Amino acid sequence: MAFVNLTSEHDAKFDFLNRFCRLATVNILSGIMVPLAGLVDVAFLGHLTEIRHLAGVILATILFEYLYRVLKFIRSSTNSMTAQAVGREDFNAMMLVGLRNGLIALGIAALILIFQYPIREVGFTLLSANSEVKDAGVAYFNARIWGAPAVLLNYVLIGWFFGREMNSFVLVMSLIGNAANVVLDYVMIINWGWETAGAGLATAISQYLTLLVGLTFACFNIKWQDFPAVLQKVLDWQALKASFALNGNILIRYLTFITALAVFTNLSSLMGTTILAENGLLLQVVTLSVFVIQGVGHATQSLTGKFKGKGDSKRLLPLIIVATLTSLLCALPWAIVSIVFPKTIFGLLTNHAELTNDIDKYTLWLLPVLAFAAIAFMLEGYFIGLAEGSTLRNSSLTALGVGFIPLAFVAWYFHSNHILWLALCLYMITSMVILVIQLPRTFHNHDTHHQQIATTNIT
């Protein structure tokens, strides 16, 4: 009997690790969809005769990456709420999450399309470029912006599928969307000569094709006999209010991090062109690492939501331990390789010797920044999985206002790049410490909540 129990326990642990690894891997792959779309456009335009097409699209791609990175909050909230519904085995609630967040996504997309002109003008004014480069970037922006509804609905579908651990669907969506983008880029840029407008249109069409694939998968995973009853509950004000609250709090979290990076970059520019360029190269390593770390965070969201829905609190601590170790294993190699081989790594990004010869003065900062970021982003995924948006919001605002801004001001005053990196490091540390302090409370509240449910059911 003991042998059977031990075997069963071993199988359960293996299943848990297997689920976590699958979710993390597919999350990482799907997370690079939007930046990869811009990279494909840049690659094709980089082979045209005139460089203005390439420069214009690089600027416009920056706008889209920031815009869609902020709006990624809707994927996280959909993942969390769907996973909790799965844990409760409430299929109608799963459908309601997708429908309500789908409506929110369409509402945001409509606002983006309505206000696309001011978004475009403000964006290109801030980025600054000569008239030829700006014209090329505007042509790309004007075409690609019409894909906004598809991008946001894809975020909802991806979150919905991940919440249900339907990883293969997300992988197929990513592969088909990116393959279509490559083919359409070739046809519209190389064959038809549509240049930057063709690149933007190719990306927008590929995003709608991805949406079509996702909706097809969703249609085969809906209980259509329950759909009319579910549809009547979509506009329930209290439920919509809860969705708006969670989405709003996660949005604040994304905005605070992007604000910190924007202030970091602006202060770097005040310290001179060389410091700006060196910090820009180092931030490329941070950004790539963050994409990987966030994949682990999204996997943590899915499993945390399921365990909360099931009332399986015993698995929450093991999940945090596994997720922490995985995040560190994903983040630290980026820092270590950059520290040990700075000329080789950064030589791939630039051939300016004055940058690569001097950048090793700051590469050591990658180690603490990425280590603390790995833990902080993983814990953010955990709290999103619990649908504790207010905890996430408060930690992010405190990290920005108390951890980052004061020290960033000191860095500006003394013109010290080391202090500026310390400020970014302190942002990560502050966020991490606040969330770690909240962990014991979540275990207690979680147990109490499910004891109350059990008592109610018995009564």
Side-chain angles (χ1 to χ4, degrees):
M1 192 61 143
F3 174 76
V4 173
N5 288 338
L6 286 172
T7 304
S8 175
E9 186 178 345
H10 176 269
D11 289 344
K13 288 180 180 177
F14 178 78
D15 177 62
F16 166 73
L17 290 172
N18 192 30
R19 288 168 66 191
F20 182 84
C21 290
R22 285 201 312 269
L23 278 167
T25 302
V26 181
N27 263 296
I28 291 167
L29 292 174
S30 67
I32 62 174
M33 260 205 312
V34 171
L36 188 59
L39 186 62
V40 169
D41 295 336
V42 166
F44 273 98
L45 292 165
H47 289 81
L48 295 181
T49 306
E50 297 182 49
I51 197 171
R52 65 186 177 88
H53 300 301
L54 174 62
V57 169
I58 287 174
L59 288 180
T61 299
I62 292 171
L63 282 182
F64 281 109
E65 285 187 4
Y66 273 93
L67 178 65
Y68 290 146
R69 188 184 297 177
V70 170
L71 296 174
K72 222 172 184 179
F73 70 88
I74 201 162
R75 168 180 160 171
S76 295
S77 66
T78 305
N79 186 351
S80 165
M81 291 187 285
T82 303
Q84 289 189 28
V86 171
R88 298 192 305 271
E89 298 183 0
D90 188 344
F91 195 88
N92 285 356
M94 295 178 218
M95 287 196 287
L96 282 169
V97 169
L99 290 170
R100 285 184 183 129
N101 279 3
L103 284 176
I104 293 172
L106 285 173
I108 295 171
L111 290 174
I112 290 172
L113 295 180
I114 291 168
F115 294 105
Q116 60 179 286
Y117 177 78
I119 292 172
R120 186 190 71 200
E121 292 305 305
V122 170
F124 279 99
T125 300
L126 292 174
L127 292 171
S128 71
N130 65 48
S131 59
E132 287 189 343
V133 171
K134 181 181 177 181
D135 288 343
V138 165
Y140 178 81
F141 180 94
N142 288 344
R144 185 176 170 182
I145 194 67
W146 291 98
V151 171
L152 287 169
L153 287 173
N154 282 331
Y155 282 162
V156 173
L157 283 169
I158 289 170
W160 196 68
F161 287 136
F162 273 133
R164 302 181 65 188
E165 291 189 58
M166 293 177 170
N167 311 326
S168 58
F169 292 167
V170 177
L171 195 55
V172 172
M173 288 172 65
S174 302
L175 290 174
I176 290 178
N178 284 301
N181 192 30
V182 172
V183 173
L184 290 169
D185 267 339
Y186 179 80
V187 171
M188 294 183 178
I189 297 172
I190 306 300
N191 284 1
W192 295 351
W194 289 1
E195 300 169 339
T196 51
L201 186 60
T203 300
I205 292 173
S206 68
Q207 287 159 347
Y208 279 104
L209 182 59
T210 305
L211 175 61
L212 179 62
V213 173
L215 288 173
T216 303
F217 286 143
C219 286
F220 284 104
N221 286 275
I222 288 176
K223 292 181 179 177
W224 288 101
Q225 65 272 21
D226 297 336
F227 192 75
V230 170
L231 204 57
Q232 293 176 3
K233 300 178 183 177
V234 170
L235 297 179
D236 178 84
W237 172 242
Q238 290 302 320
L240 276 172
K241 188 177 176 182
S243 293
F244 275 117
L246 180 59
N247 280 304
N249 286 329
I250 298 173
L251 171 61
I252 290 171
R253 179 266 164 216
Y254 278 97
L255 285 173
T256 55
F257 180 58
I258 288 175
T259 300
L261 291 181
V263 172
F264 182 94
T265 302
N266 286 335
L267 292 180
S268 299
S269 68
L270 295 176
M271 296 180 192
T273 304
T274 301
I275 293 294
L276 173 61
E278 287 173 344
N279 284 354
L281 293 174
L282 292 167
L283 282 180
Q284 289 298 314
V285 176
V286 173
T287 302
L288 288 170
S289 178
V290 164
F291 271 117
V292 178
I293 295 167
Q294 286 182 332
V296 178
H298 285 127
T300 308
Q301 285 175 30
S302 298
L303 293 179
T304 301
K306 281 193 178 65
F307 296 155
K308 177 181 178 180
K310 285 183 177 178
D312 191 0
S313 60
K314 292 180 181 178
R315 290 197 178 193
L316 291 176
L317 183 57
L319 172 62
I320 289 173
I321 294 170
V322 170
T324 301
L325 293 174
T326 306
S327 295
L328 289 171
L329 285 172
C330 288
L332 293 183
W334 295 87
I336 292 169
V337 171
S338 299
I339 291 167
V340 177
F341 307 107
K343 291 183 180 179
T344 303
I345 297 301
F346 296 104
L348 297 172
L349 301 174
T350 181
N351 58 2
H352 291 278
E354 66 271 23
L355 298 180
T356 54
N357 289 339
D358 225 20
I359 202 169
D360 58 352
K361 291 192 297 187
Y362 306 112
T363 51
L364 275 173
W365 283 108
L366 292 174
L367 199 59
V369 166
L370 292 181
F372 292 121
I375 300 173
F377 288 147
M378 181 280 300
L379 287 173
E380 287 175 356
Y382 172 79
F383 280 95
I384 292 173
L386 295 176
E388 291 204 11
S390 58
T391 301
L392 193 65
R393 176 200 65 210
N394 295 340
S395 69
S396 299
L397 290 173
T398 305
L400 181 68
V402 177
F404 178 75
I405 294 296
L407 206 55
F409 177 79
V410 174
W412 166 78
Y413 184 81
F414 289 105
H415 262 57
S416 170
N417 196 34
H418 284 293
I419 297 178
L420 186 58
W421 276 99
L422 178 61
L424 187 60
C425 187
L426 198 58
Y427 173 93
M428 303 298 180
I429 293 173
T430 306
S431 178
M432 181 195 73
V433 168
I434 292 172
L435 294 176
V436 167
I437 290 172
Q438 296 293 326
L439 280 177
R441 175 189 60 75
T442 66
F443 296 138
H444 173 71
N445 287 352
H446 185 65
D447 290 335
T448 305
H449 172 68
H450 282 283
Q451 285 171 7
Q452 290 171 349
I453 290 176
T455 306
T456 304
N457 290 337
I458 291 170
T459 332

